[in-house]
Amino acid sequence: MTTRNNINLDKIIQAAAEIIDVHGLENLTLSNLSQKLKIRSPSLYNHIKGLQDIRRLLSLHGLKQLLSVLTRAAVGRSSDEAMREMAKAYLRFARKHPGLYEVTHMAPSHSDHDLYKTGQEIVDLVTQVLEAYQMEPTDTIHIARAFRSQLHGFASLEQRRGFGMSVDLDDSFMHMIDTLLAGLHVRYPKDGQRPSAQFQTGQS
Amino acid sequence: MTTRNNINLDKIIQAAAEIIDVHGLENLTLSNLSQKLKIRSPSLYNHIKGLQDIRRLLSLHGLKQLLSVLTRAAVGRSSDEAMREMAKAYLRFARKHPGLYEVTHMAPSHSDHDLYKTGQEIVDLVTQVLEAYQMEPTDTIHIARAFRSQLHGFASLEQRRGFGMSVDLDDSFMHMIDTLLAGLHVRYPKDGQRPSAQFQTGQS
DNA sequence: TTGATATAACTAATATTATTAGTTAAAATG
DNA sequence: CATTTTAACTAATAATATTAGTTATATCAA
């Protein structure tokens, strides 16, 4: 199965990921991608269905990396600590791979099962961590959505330079997460877990 | 100043806004825009600098509408009520004008003063509402950023179909806002404002 | 080793796009 | 009514994605 130029799907995705992380998603073209791989652009069609297909594959690639990063942040931790570490890992990923992060949030092409499945695995991970708070299933979904909204909103606004520069961004991020956790504790108080002493800020 | 075909900048922006709200931002081309206006595409250059310029103008247009919508939601209201109404108005706008909302979050071209100014006016509006909570100025910025992150994250994820369909989206949205407010009350308790009775859900 | 097959590269061509240059005609203005 | 401004136009170019058809290389069975 090895071929003339040693090009395979993995190398294409790798090269495309580099392009979008450095130059942005809108600057990924079959032209510069094929140049990077030292082939002519129509040759790419032997491996992929077209530009949309590459974007889809990148999206899946990014989601899987994000899932991995979040999972590693959550293992061996629980409750607030797990939430905070997942949040930090999420933002770290978005900052380190801006293009990959951006492509991850493309509207999935409806019946793309792989993409749906991986997205669901991330939701399941968050849901699992939230089980520690012993809410109703519906509330768990509410909070998971709120958590994702905060993370994505912050990462996205930061990436698009939507925030001013007056106040440290890491401080704001941890403050946001801690405020969510504070709200969680008020609304779902468990015995032995009073709403206090979760107000330290500062990020790694 | 009136001309042959009665086309001016306003009509161009109007037509472009319709296209992106119906067909999405990525489907705005000079080709279909000029067809909608019944002129040839190079004629557009008599009014605008190019496609990027139209996008920039749309961004400003959207941002101004959003500012207007948020301002009207906040007048005559304060504290939690103002925050909730602003949140609802924000999501209503994003849902009603998906394309305009999307273009609003393009990375501004660095030194675009109009865009920066309008964005700042929105931040100032939120900051003003948050003054009721009597926090430190730095904390006000933290919370304003958290609020925007939630709103944008939710709107964006919803638009990209990032949420499952298991639980009502309006319920989740109000739950998210109420959790933020609950967190606010714990962290910045004012006399006469105890953290209770803000847990109703359901949206207009 | 060799011949057959699969495949990954290629060239050539097309349609769509944004954009520029140069032209024309219509409106506005004196 | 003459002049000037300007908003439309046509023609042309460069970049893009994509398709069709071709060639050459690697794999593999005999």
Side-chain angles (χ1 to χ4, degrees):
Chain A
M1 283 298 174
T2 63
T3 62
R4 279 198 276 178
N5 224 341
N6 282 335
I7 285 177
N8 53 28
L9 200 53
D10 269 359
K11 289 194 178 174
I12 290 177
I13 293 175
Q14 210 56 49
E18 279 182 39
I19 289 173
I20 63 176
D21 275 344
V22 176
H23 299 104
L25 179 57
E26 76 284 3
N27 287 315
L28 173 67
T29 64
L30 296 190
S31 181
N32 59 11
L33 177 58
S34 63
Q35 273 179 284
K36 194 180 181 75
L37 293 165
K38 300 192 166 109
I39 58 176
R40 302 307 177 104
S41 63
S43 308
L44 288 167
Y45 285 81
N46 288 312
H47 303 273
I48 48 92
K49 295 196 188 80
L51 184 62
Q52 287 305 320
D53 194 38
I54 295 186
R55 297 209 187 105
R56 196 198 97 246
L57 291 164
L58 283 169
S59 189
L60 187 59
H61 181 65
L63 264 186
K64 282 182 175 170
Q65 275 191 243
L66 184 56
L67 171 63
S68 159
V69 154
L70 293 178
T71 304
R72 276 179 281 152
V75 291
R77 300 191 171 98
S78 71
S79 301
D80 290 5
E81 195 199 359
M83 294 289 282
R84 284 202 190 88
E85 290 306 314
M86 279 173 35
K88 288 195 273 185
Y90 187 103
L91 188 61
R92 251 194 316 268
F93 176 78
R95 285 172 173 174
K96 194 171 176 183
H97 301 288
L100 214 48
Y101 179 75
E102 189 186 356
V103 81
T104 281
H105 285 89
M106 281 189 347
S109 49
H110 213 38
S111 60
D112 196 321
H113 191 258
D114 286 345
L115 225 50
Y116 174 80
K117 208 188 81 184
T118 309
Q120 197 55 48
E121 286 183 75
I122 294 182
V123 172
D124 290 346
L125 173 68
V126 174
T127 304
Q128 200 178 331
V129 170
L130 286 176
E131 272 172 21
Y133 297 90
Q134 298 175 3
M135 313 171 232
E136 306 253 318
T138 301
D139 286 359
T140 304
I141 291 175
H142 289 326
I143 295 296
R145 287 174 172 176
F147 189 54
R148 287 180 63 205
S149 294
Q150 281 194 341
L151 298 181
H152 172 53
F154 192 97
S156 175
L157 288 170
E158 182 184 76
Q159 212 163 92
R160 303 272 165 72
R161 319 219 178 292
F163 294 132
M165 293 166 302
S166 52
V167 173
D168 186 82
L169 285 164
D170 288 351
D171 286 352
S172 285
F173 185 70
M174 289 318 291
H175 193 278
M176 173 177 78
I177 300 300
D178 286 341
T179 303
L180 179 76
L181 294 176
L184 258 186
H185 296 144
V186 187
R187 302 190 72 170
Y188 308 99
K190 290 189 331 192
D191 300 311
Q193 192 184 46
R194 294 280 96 213
S196 67
Q198 8 261 356
F199 300 149
Q200 64 275 52
T201 53
Q203 190 193 353
S204 68
Chain B
M1 285 296 175
T2 63
T3 62
R4 279 197 276 178
N5 222 341
N6 282 334
I7 285 177
N8 52 27
L9 200 54
D10 269 359
K11 288 193 179 175
I12 290 177
I13 293 174
Q14 210 56 47
E18 279 182 40
I19 290 174
I20 64 177
D21 274 345
V22 175
H23 300 103
L25 180 57
E26 76 284 3
N27 287 315
L28 173 67
T29 65
L30 296 189
S31 182
N32 59 11
L33 178 57
S34 62
Q35 273 181 283
K36 195 180 179 76
L37 293 165
K38 298 193 166 111
I39 58 176
R40 301 307 176 103
S41 64
S43 308
L44 288 167
Y45 284 81
N46 288 312
H47 303 273
I48 48 93
K49 294 196 189 79
L51 184 62
Q52 287 305 320
D53 194 39
I54 295 187
R55 295 208 187 107
R56 196 197 97 247
L57 292 164
L58 282 171
S59 190
L60 187 59
H61 180 66
L63 222 46
K64 282 182 175 171
Q65 275 190 243
L66 183 57
L67 172 62
S68 159
V69 154
L70 293 178
T71 304
R72 276 178 282 153
V75 293
R77 301 191 169 98
S78 72
S79 300
D80 289 7
E81 195 200 357
M83 294 288 281
R84 284 201 192 90
E85 290 307 313
M86 278 171 43
K88 288 195 273 185
Y90 186 103
L91 187 61
R92 253 196 313 268
F93 175 77
R95 285 173 173 173
K96 194 172 176 184
H97 302 288
L100 214 47
Y101 180 76
E102 189 186 356
V103 81
T104 281
H105 286 89
M106 280 189 348
S109 48
H110 213 38
S111 60
D112 197 320
H113 192 259
D114 286 346
L115 225 52
Y116 174 79
K117 207 188 80 183
T118 309
Q120 197 54 48
E121 287 185 74
I122 295 182
V123 172
D124 291 345
L125 174 68
V126 174
T127 304
Q128 200 178 330
V129 169
L130 286 176
E131 272 173 20
Y133 297 90
Q134 300 175 2
M135 312 172 232
E136 306 253 319
T138 301
D139 284 1
T140 304
I141 291 174
H142 288 327
I143 295 297
R145 286 174 172 175
F147 189 54
R148 286 180 63 204
S149 294
Q150 281 194 340
L151 298 180
H152 172 53
F154 192 98
S156 174
L157 288 169
E158 182 185 75
Q159 213 163 91
R160 303 274 166 70
R161 319 221 177 292
F163 294 131
M165 292 166 301
S166 52
V167 172
D168 186 82
L169 285 163
D170 289 349
D171 286 352
S172 285
F173 185 70
M174 289 318 291
H175 192 278
M176 174 177 78
I177 300 300
D178 286 342
T179 303
L180 179 76
L181 294 176
L184 258 186
H185 296 143
V186 186
R187 302 189 73 170
Y188 308 99
K190 290 190 331 192
D191 301 310
Q193 194 185 45
R194 296 280 95 215
S196 67
Q198 8 261 358
F199 301 149
Q200 62 275 52
T201 53
Q203 190 194 353
S204 69

